[in-house]
Amino acid sequence: MIRSSVVAATLVLGTTAFAESGDIVRDGEYLYLEAQHGEAWKAQDKEIDARLAEIREANGGKPPNFVYVLIDDVSFGILGNRAMNYVTGINTPNINDFADEGLSLMRMYTEPSCTPTRTAMLTGRHPVRAGQEEVKVALVGEGLADEEVTIAEILKEVGYNTSHVGKWHQGDIEQSFPHNQGFDWAAFPVHQQVQLSLMTQDAMKANNMVGFDPSGETNPFAIDQRFRPYGLVTGLEAEVGKLAREVHMEAGETWTQAKYHEMNVRYQKQAVEQLNDLASKDAPFFMQYWPLYPLNFVYDQEQQKSRNGGYMAEKMELLDEWLGEFFDAIDATGKADNTVVVLMADNGIFNYYSPNSGMMELIYRGGKTQHLEGGVRTDAFVRWPGVIPAGSAAGDIIHVSDLFTTFARIAGGTDHIPRDRVIDGVDQTALLLEGEGNSRRDYVYVYEGPLLRSIVKQDIKMHMPAPGLPGAAAPVFNLLRDPREMNPIIGIALWSGASFQDMTKRHMNMIAKYPHLPIGKGVPYGGIENLRPESIETREVFDSWH
């Protein structure tokens, strides 16, 4: 049994015990677990190191490649499940086959919306620590800061080639673009699908957008001619060390749904091209493919196989076809056996457009922007042939930030993880190699923007009490008995109140010692060599009040 004095000593920030727990700065809850299981984890780590060495030796001394596919706004249960294909009317046979080839992570937690989730994966940190708290639509002059260290930058340090294709959504300033955050080459939109598919005349005609397109309504009393976003940059392509270029958009041209579809088609083609280019080289590689579909706001496609017919459901089926092609391309490289492929969604559905979109809540209540399970629980699958058994599953808790630390460990890049800030990502290599029951996390802190809204611990979840209310009055839910978080069990779970309060204190203690870093700031659209005149004008209007 661990003596309480040992646990307490480990949690005193800045003590020798803290320094001995490892050079990486961990959150208080991890330290609490490490005080109880640290010796066993050290022993297991020696076995894991030996196994990783064996895997590398079997592959000619090369570490594994990584491919990370992140899908936008899909509820838990929609991906990879034939039974749910019949429930939802959305057919995903290729994703189902992929899920059967590896490990299904049944308790993958993300952040409640796309920008924060992507920041968490890239940096291994809760996005609030980097100022990346929310989704931004138009010009903000903000983004992922130079000071943040991404997994791409760590992998570059140990010899990886890197590429990114698809959604990025980490800011509109030069320092936040992917080719300045560790990627050798990138094709990406500056903003996201609200600009690309919703802020269009097509979406207005589909009755999904009101008040943006001037053909839909007129206002003779409008004075501010720039209240509606104007001249936004669309898609960029860039190489490391060079300026970015906007592509497939001419001066004065109006963005349309057809151009949005062309962008999706282009990214699918470029994803395969980049994969083949990376695989043709001798160095290990890391590739991200972050599709824009299924997020879509227009009926622009003939109904194919879907019985559902929703405008996002149709794109989900199209994306399934494309991912089948992409997975086949991975297999065709001849390097699939030494490639870790992760496929997951970034958060729950865009509830505001359900059910017409065809996407829906399933097991869990809530969606995008919400701390409820439906907002932060997503399907996630990992394929690593010969290492991870096909058809396996794990009910352990894992958070998207864990991919950062786990990829670094597998690649031999742990020494390059920064030591001057809290790293929330937990190394889950043991879970991947040893299977279910080997996670080193049984907790998650769930934020909505800058606010801590709930805490998950094992099968219990507490919604943070409203200001002024004591912790004992906080709603508590048993997620196994009440997955939709509808029936708080305050009275019969009073035992948990003090424990959740202690978890909150441990978390806040580390924030006090390592304050959040500021979001990156700069001139919008910096580092783009061919800005259209209308983009220059909209930047000048933006600058007029900054």
Side-chain angles (χ1 to χ4, degrees), residues 138-156:
L139 266 67
V140 289
E142 297 175 346
L144 191 65
D146 278 332
E147 290 76 14
E148 294 298 329
V149 177
T150 70
I151 184 59
E153 290 174 314
I154 287 174
L155 295 178
K156 288 295 296 178

Side-chain angles (χ1 to χ4, degrees), residues 169 188 224 227 273 359 395 498 535:
H169 208 193
F188 62 103
D224 182 359
F227 176 60
E273 290 173 348
M359 307 299 269
S535 300

Side-chain angles (χ1 to χ4, degrees), residues 48-60:
I48 291 171
D49 286 340
R51 182 74 195 285
L52 289 175
E54 291 174 3
I55 293 169
R56 185 173 292 209
E57 183 178 355
N59 288 280

Side-chain angles (χ1 to χ4, degrees), residues 404-536:
F404 169 94
T405 317
T406 305
F407 286 2
R409 168 81 180 281
I410 293 170
T414 299
D415 288 347
H416 298 285
I417 294 175
R419 265 60 174 179
D420 62 345
R421 64 201 68 182
V422 174
I423 300 297
D424 297 290
V426 172
D427 175 19
Q428 299 286 15
T429 309
L431 178 62
L432 298 188
L433 297 187
E434 302 296 330
E436 187 173 65
N438 284 281
S439 175
R440 297 184 181 181
R441 172 194 291 277
D442 69 349
Y443 66 94
V444 177
Y445 295 97
V446 184
Y447 280 82
E448 284 182 0
L451 300 177
L452 180 62
R453 288 299 310 276
S454 59
I455 301 175
V456 177
K457 181 72 170 181
Q458 299 167 14
D459 297 323
I460 307 296
K461 182 174 184 178
M462 181 190 74
H463 294 183
M464 300 300 288
L469 291 181
V476 177
F477 303 86
N478 184 309
L479 294 174
L480 289 176
R481 298 182 180 187
D482 182 20
R484 293 188 64 78
E485 299 166 81
M486 299 287 286
N487 303 291
I489 52 173
I490 296 174
I492 60 177
L494 281 175
W495 61 269
S496 68
S499 296
F500 276 119
Q501 289 180 58
D502 287 346
M503 288 184 68
T504 304
K505 291 174 183 176
R506 289 192 280 270
H507 186 58
M508 295 304 170
N509 283 346
M510 288 303 292
I511 292 174
K513 185 170 179 62
Y514 294 90
H516 299 333
L517 297 179
I519 194 169
K521 293 188 179 293
V523 177
Y525 299 160
I528 302 172
E529 66 179 7
N530 62 332
L531 279 181
R532 289 173 284 129
E534 54 267 38
S535 300
I536 295 173

Side-chain angles (χ1 to χ4, degrees), residues 11-31:
L11 293 171
V12 175
L13 306 180
T15 64
T16 302
F18 173 74
E20 290 176 352
S21 70
D23 291 333
I24 297 175
V25 180
R26 303 292 191 180
D27 202 2
E29 192 63 17
Y30 180 87
L31 298 178

Side-chain angles (χ1 to χ4, degrees), residues 217-228:
E217 62 179 51
T218 59
N219 184 350
F221 306 106
I223 298 174
D224 182 359
Q225 298 302 310
R226 291 293 174 260
F227 176 60
R228 291 157 181 79

